[in-house]
Amino acid sequence: RPPPYHVADGIDCVAPNDLPSRAVGRERFVIVGAGKTGIDACLWLLGHGIAPERLTWIMPRDAWLLDRENIQPGPQFLDRFQGSFTTRLTAIEAATDVRDLFERLEACGNLLRLDPAVRPRMYRCATVSRAELRQLQRITDIVRMGHVDRIEHGKIVLADGAVSVDDSPLYIDCTADGLERRSPTPVFDGDHITLQSVRGCQQVFSAALIAHVEAVYHDDAERNDLCAPVPHPNTDLDWLTTTAAEQRNQIRWLGDRGLMDWLSGTRLDLMRHMYVPLMNQPQLRDKLVGIIQAALQSANQKLDALMTAGYPEQPPIRRAPPAPRPRPK
């Protein structure tokens, strides 16, 4: 789709798929958008030897990011996953307010951010490795002046002001909404299925679980109880609502013995290796399931209380002044 902002005639603005064929010989690049696509565009350029000084990153909102190391599937990553799962619940229980919660989640490594001096206002499940984050932090020309309104010759006009640029940059539009937030609707409705995430931003796992439930269960009320939608997050506060929603589903799944048998056999479930070793030990399995359910229920009660209280007052977000943009030699 075309960019959602006006681009003057004669200015090169391309979609990410066109970047490899259009990058050769360009002196400067402007990446528009701070989501996962914008991150990947920056990493592609850096990985192909483009110096960070040649990049300008338009970042309407900073994002909370997930550490890829915490969510790797497979038994070899179980200790790391369990540690992340435990510290997340601990951070929720200990938090005194929403701001304190995010500080705790960052301190224990559950969430990452680009700049420790800027409060992220976006959360969309974007995932990076620590090495990738270090690469992104090499980029210093970051424009935090809201969304782009129009690109003119020699100038980018944004919601909160304008910055001067040379006429030569290649603009990469990374603003398409790949995970559009929509109002939830029942997944099962007679002969109609509306595919939605039932675990935060896990579309493939969600599709598999919905297919299994459709095949094995025969009552739409029970099917929908097992497949409550988890809408895609957008803002920082959506971390709380998304986490609470997926934890409610997990509590329900843990209480269904047949579904647990299926989950223990699907490689798409990140949690399977927590209980697979106990599947042939019913007493130990039931004990572990009970402990996890209780912990999730307690965490959800705390999340509800934090969401009710809302965000405490906070100083304004620091705006990074636009850096000088050298003209190509």
Side-chain angles (χ1 to χ4, degrees):
R1 58 107 177 102
Y5 42 83
H6 175 73
V7 179
D9 292 340
I11 292 176
D12 291 332
C13 183
V14 302
N17 281 358
D18 294 326
L19 179 55
S21 63
R22 300 292 293 275
V24 177
R26 305 307 291 248
E27 177 63 26
R28 191 154 196 89
F29 301 85
V30 178
I31 300 90
V32 184
K36 188 62 170 74
T37 306
I39 287 172
D40 288 344
C42 290
L43 291 172
W44 188 91
L45 287 163
L46 294 170
H48 283 77
I50 303 299
E53 295 77 18
R54 294 166 61 187
L55 306 184
T56 295
W57 195 357
I58 307 295
M59 187 173 294
R61 297 180 297 170
D62 280 62
W64 286 113
L65 307 171
L66 297 173
D67 186 345
R68 190 178 305 281
E69 192 172 1
N70 291 338
I71 50 177
Q72 290 295 321
Q76 67 270 40
F77 303 106
L78 178 59
D79 288 346
R80 178 73 184 217
F81 175 77
Q82 284 183 322
S84 173
F85 179 75
T86 301
T87 56
R88 184 185 78 188
L89 296 180
T90 301
I92 293 172
E93 292 289 358
T96 57
D97 56 39
V98 174
R99 188 191 309 158
D100 182 56
L101 171 62
F102 282 115
E103 290 175 355
R104 291 176 182 275
L105 291 169
E106 182 179 23
C108 69
N110 264 260
L111 292 177
L112 308 172
R113 57 174 152 173
L114 187 69
D115 186 339
V118 181
R119 169 193 150 193
R121 292 195 172 186
M122 177 168 64
Y123 171 69
R124 306 199 65 185
C125 303
T127 306
V128 296
S129 68
R130 298 270 181 163
E132 289 172 331
L133 183 62
R134 288 191 293 270
Q135 286 297 308
L136 295 171
Q137 289 169 337
R138 297 171 63 208
I139 303 172
T140 57
D141 188 9
I142 298 178
V143 179
R144 293 181 172 94
M145 301 177 69
H147 292 92
V148 173
D149 179 68
R150 61 188 185 276
I151 298 176
E152 303 174 352
H153 289 278
K155 182 168 65 173
I156 306 172
V157 180
L158 305 105
D160 297 335
V163 292
S164 298
V165 293
D166 189 271
D167 272 349
S168 64
L170 177 66
Y171 292 87
I172 305 101
D173 177 54
C174 301
T175 62
D177 196 347
L179 294 178
E180 182 180 350
R181 184 177 177 87
R182 300 182 181 182
S183 299
T185 188
V187 171
F188 295 95
D189 183 11
D191 61 355
H192 188 76
I193 295 176
T194 303
L195 290 174
Q196 296 157 88
S197 287
V198 295
R199 177 178 284 165
C201 302
Q202 291 288 310
Q203 293 89 331
V204 179
F205 167 83
S206 298
L209 187 138
I210 289 170
H212 171 76
V213 169
E214 193 271 340
V216 174
Y217 299 80
H218 305 289
D219 176 72
D220 275 2
E222 186 176 18
R223 288 169 169 168
N224 284 322
D225 185 44
L226 291 170
C227 298
V230 180
H232 295 314
N234 186 298
T235 71
D236 53 346
L237 291 177
D238 287 339
W239 185 92
L240 284 78
T241 57
T242 299
T243 299
E246 65 181 25
Q247 289 182 169
R248 281 193 295 270
N249 281 349
Q250 190 68 51
I251 292 169
R252 177 65 180 86
W253 301 338
L254 289 168
D256 187 298
R257 185 65 61 83
L259 187 56
M260 281 291 293
D261 289 339
W262 179 80
L263 287 170
S264 69
T266 175
R267 64 183 178 85
L268 297 172
D269 184 7
L270 284 171
M271 296 187 67
R272 67 183 290 254
H273 295 288
M274 292 177 64
Y275 39 74
V276 163
L278 302 177
M279 293 307 292
N280 295 323
Q281 304 178 60
Q283 289 184 334
L284 288 177
R285 179 185 62 181
D286 291 346
K287 182 179 180 180
L288 175 62
V289 165
I291 291 172
I292 296 175
Q293 283 180 310
L296 293 174
Q297 185 62 49
S298 178
N300 271 13
Q301 292 173 355
K302 185 60 177 290
L303 287 173
D304 289 341
L306 292 173
M307 287 185 283
T308 299
Y311 231 122
E313 290 297 323
Q314 175 152 318
I317 291 181
R318 177 181 66 82
R319 298 286 188 189
R325 291 164 178 78
R327 292 179 177 273
K329 298 179 181 178

